[in-house]
Amino acid sequence: MPKWVAPGRVNIIGEHTDYNDGFVLPIALPLVVECRAEARTDRRVRVVSRQRPGETVLVAVSELAAERDRVPGWSRYPLGVVSEFARRGYAHDGIDLELDGAVPIGAGLSSSAALSCAVAVALRDMFAPTVTDRELIDLARAAENDYAGVPTGLLDQSASILCTAGHALFLDVRRLVTHDGVAHEQIPFDLDRFGLELLVIDTGQPHALIDGGYARRRAQCEAAAAALDVPALRDIESAAAVDRIGDAVLRRRARHVVTENARVLKIAEKLRCGADPREIGPILTAAHESLRDDFEVSTPALDAAVSAALDTGAHGARMVGGGFGGSVIALVDRDNTASVAEAVRDRFARSGFEAPRTFVVVPGAGAHRIV
């Protein structure tokens, strides 16, 4: 049975900028979701997952839309992709999907996008080889938005599809959507050369973007852009400009997005020029402070992980993902990685949090077929 894989992602910088037409800088994780796929002839879709033993979902292709609210939540991601292919006119006679995932669920590392993209590349290769990467990204995003009910932007799907090993992906989301000029660039991201590592700290407190907090932030950003009379917060370049917003909450939300876009551009430029990545550490930490104070999506566990990492010599640290739980990244000297991880575990134990999971990541490859 042929197999495809798609990676999760971690964002070096650029949180909550994608749905504001802004800039992001992710890397693909070496952790992937696997999708084995095989055509059927009975116009049905069968989905099973190693993470859901004993649970089989079987739906007729013609009933995918009608069954959306009756299928298990986890299956809406792969079924949504199948439904979106059908909606766009890419016909097939059914498919078997067997899934297995190594991306931690709820850790802010885009396990859902990895799942959707693994299925999407499989369906493209099997039934719709003319679909471009840009269309595939939009298709996977639409599946998550419309079928799974999660109002994500394009960051996660773009990273899963476009990233390459050894590089960070600089992505201009507006250009990706409008097809106006070059939308993305591969920037070398070789921490090993500088004796550095990127440590991921999974707090074990899962986030759930479907629970409303993420959608509220997105709506607040749209309201802030309207208050400034611009199409999106991407169009505001000066943090001082957000002071024109009368509502204090909307003002904070806008300030985060505007300053975060500036941080993405600054880090991308440093990496392009071959600067020592230690120079980006303070920018990462500033991003966490902005997410904590202006966007208000951090948690006590995320803050504790960042604080412990910095206190133990990390060059920079911040929460990643949509927030309300999930993971932290810390930029650390290679010979200090174990000490930082131990310090975070100690801080969590003293704070009454469950023990975190820690692991080092390097930039991996985007979605592809492997057998």
Side-chain angles (χ1 to χ4, degrees):
M1 199 171 186
K3 181 166 69 173
W4 289 259
V5 297
R9 67 98 186 100
V10 68
N11 227 11
I12 304 305
I13 194 75
E15 302 297 358
H16 294 275
T17 52
D18 59 336
Y19 56 80
N20 289 290
D21 281 2
F23 309 104
V24 292
L25 191 71
I27 61 170
L29 297 176
L31 306 172
V32 300
V33 170
E34 297 180 355
C35 173
R36 293 185 180 272
E38 193 168 58
R40 297 172 66 102
T41 58
D42 61 358
R43 301 287 299 165
R44 290 185 174 187
V45 183
R46 182 181 71 93
V47 184
V48 297
S49 170
R50 189 172 182 181
Q51 282 66 52
R52 302 282 178 167
E55 189 171 358
T56 299
V57 179
L58 187 65
V59 183
V61 174
S62 60
E63 296 297 318
L64 282 168
E67 291 293 316
R68 189 192 82 87
D69 294 330
R70 291 190 282 271
V71 298
W74 67 269
S75 71
R76 292 176 190 167
Y77 295 92
L79 291 176
V81 173
V82 179
S83 178
E84 190 64 19
F85 266 91
R87 191 187 71 79
R88 298 187 185 205
Y90 301 112
H92 58 85
D93 293 322
I95 191 167
D96 278 333
L97 300 171
E98 298 181 0
L99 307 169
D100 188 11
V103 185
I105 296 172
L109 304 176
S110 298
S111 60
S112 59
L115 170 56
S116 299
C117 290
V119 175
V121 293
L123 266 67
R124 176 177 68 177
D125 288 357
M126 294 174 69
F127 305 118
T130 61
V131 170
T132 66
D133 283 346
R134 286 190 179 189
E135 185 178 358
L136 197 67
I137 290 165
D138 182 66
L139 191 152
R141 179 214 42 90
E144 291 202 45
N145 289 180
D146 301 335
Y147 204 91
V150 182
T152 65
L154 289 168
L155 161 61
D156 299 346
Q157 299 82 10
S158 297
S160 194
I161 297 294
L162 297 175
C163 279
T164 61
H167 295 81
L169 174 74
F170 174 74
L171 180 67
D172 182 330
V173 174
R174 174 170 285 171
R175 287 187 170 183
L176 182 75
V177 172
T178 62
H179 295 230
D180 178 20
V182 177
H184 60 90
E185 173 191 358
Q186 305 291 343
I187 300 178
F189 191 61
D190 183 4
L191 297 182
D192 185 62
R193 174 186 163 203
F194 294 90
L196 294 166
E197 291 185 325
L198 191 66
L199 179 69
V200 174
I201 303 158
D202 178 1
T203 67
Q205 296 183 346
H207 71 162
L209 298 186
I210 202 170
D211 69 0
Y214 183 95
R216 282 193 297 276
R217 296 305 185 279
R218 185 164 184 164
Q220 288 165 342
C221 288
E222 292 171 355
L228 293 169
D229 196 27
V230 292
L233 290 176
R234 146 72 173 269
D235 298 296
I236 302 298
E237 296 183 0
S238 168
V242 307
D243 292 338
R244 304 200 310 266
I245 301 174
D247 183 276
V249 172
L250 298 186
R251 191 162 60 244
R252 290 197 300 272
R253 304 297 185 257
R255 184 166 54 233
H256 165 72
V257 174
V258 173
T259 57
E260 186 79 346
N261 274 325
R263 285 186 285 268
V264 176
L265 295 174
K266 189 172 184 179
I267 286 181
E269 183 59 24
K270 285 182 176 294
L271 295 178
R272 276 192 204 99
C273 294
D276 186 329
R278 290 173 179 84
E279 294 182 17
I280 76 172
I283 308 173
L284 301 180
T285 304
H288 181 77
E289 293 167 353
S290 180
L291 287 159
R292 181 193 65 203
D293 300 336
D294 280 341
F295 223 66
E296 298 179 283
V297 293
S298 191
T299 66
L302 292 168
D303 293 341
V306 168
S307 177
L310 294 173
D311 289 347
T312 318
H315 298 286
R318 69 175 194 87
M319 59 152 282
V320 295
F324 310 105
S327 298
V328 161
I329 57 170
L331 182 66
V332 297
D333 291 320
R334 188 190 303 120
D335 59 6
N336 196 36
T337 301
S339 296
V340 171
E342 184 61 30
V344 174
R345 285 191 288 270
D346 289 346
R347 182 74 59 90
F348 272 44
R350 287 187 278 111
S351 301
F353 302 135
E354 292 186 12
R357 177 188 178 195
T358 61
F359 50 95
V360 172
V361 296
V362 295
H368 60 283
R369 180 173 174 168
I370 58 174
V371 292

